[in-house]
Amino acid sequence: MPFTLWLSLAAVCAMGAMSPGPSLAMVLRHTLGGGRLSGVITALTHALGVGFYALLTVWGLGTLIARHPLLFEAITWLGALYLAWLGVKALRAARAGTLQAQGVAATPIQAARDGMLVALGNPKLILFFIALLSQFVSPGMNLVAKALIVATAMLIDGGWYVLVAMALSHSRVLPWLQRRAHWINRATGVILLALALRVLLG
């Protein structure tokens, strides 16, 4: 995978992780209620769930490319339209209430369970990965390149949420995130729209 293409993948993964939603709310809840350890555990198990979906998506897309190239091309275009829709939705996202979360006291096992389930229980996540990864998987892609895609998604997701948990556990990060949630949404929207446009223009 060319380095410039990988940078595009990393940027979209980062914006997806940073975008306010149920995953961020769950990490915030466990950090506020159980401290740094609970937040970090939630973050890491969420990244495992993300990696599982990314792995399934890459494998499935690879098989689809080999057997049905026209169907894959159609999915690529539909994926671009879906990313554009997500971009518009992010740009329209309301500023109020995006990061409201109450602390919850839980054991490390419960934190791990919640982190995994909030990833695996979100059907929009698999749709996002199908739309996203279809823009980066190519017919000649080898196993190392596919592993790089999965690892990138996992490391960026886990890294972001671990940073949130660690910073929130000893500072005023939550108010900072709340004040800037609309800018995060806007940046996410612009990047998703740019990626969709790149695909639609060939």
Side-chain angles (χ1 to χ4, degrees):
M1 178 182 294
F3 182 68
T4 55
L5 188 61
W6 179 84
L7 284 179
S8 298
L9 172 66
V12 175
C13 288
M15 290 297 101
M18 294 172 65
S19 180
S23 300
L24 181 56
M26 183 63 68
V27 174
L28 294 177
R29 287 181 65 210
H30 278 288
T31 304
L32 292 172
R36 179 180 299 180
L37 179 61
S38 291
V40 169
I41 290 174
T42 306
L44 293 177
T45 55
H46 183 273
L48 289 177
V50 166
F52 176 73
Y53 270 155
L55 183 62
L56 288 182
T57 304
V58 169
W59 273 351
L61 288 175
T63 302
L64 192 63
I65 292 172
R67 296 181 181 177
H68 308 285
L70 291 179
L71 179 58
F72 175 75
E73 184 176 348
I75 289 179
T76 300
W77 278 74
L78 290 174
L81 294 176
Y82 179 67
L83 290 175
W85 179 78
L86 289 178
V88 171
K89 187 177 178 182
L91 290 175
R92 291 181 172 179
R95 180 177 177 178
T98 53
L99 289 176
Q100 297 301 323
Q102 299 295 325
V104 55
T107 65
I109 293 178
Q110 291 170 327
R113 177 202 62 197
D114 289 347
M116 181 72 72
L117 290 181
V118 76
L120 298 181
N122 185 0
K124 293 181 179 179
L125 190 58
I126 189 66
L127 294 176
F128 176 79
F129 272 118
I130 291 174
L132 170 65
L133 298 185
S134 65
Q135 319 306 324
F136 296 94
V137 176
S138 61
M141 182 168 285
N142 58 31
L143 184 61
V144 174
K146 291 179 180 179
L148 178 62
I149 290 176
V150 175
T152 298
M154 285 183 62
L155 291 175
I156 289 178
D157 183 88
W160 165 250
Y161 288 127
V162 165
L163 285 176
V164 169
M166 294 183 69
L168 183 62
S169 63
H170 61 75
S171 68
R172 300 178 180 179
V173 173
L174 181 58
W176 184 90
L177 288 173
Q178 288 173 325
R179 290 193 301 270
R180 290 161 177 79
H182 60 295
W183 289 111
I184 294 174
N185 273 324
R186 289 175 183 175
T188 301
V190 169
I191 289 178
L192 291 174
L193 286 173
L195 179 61
L197 183 62
R198 182 181 70 87
V199 175
L200 293 176
L201 292 178

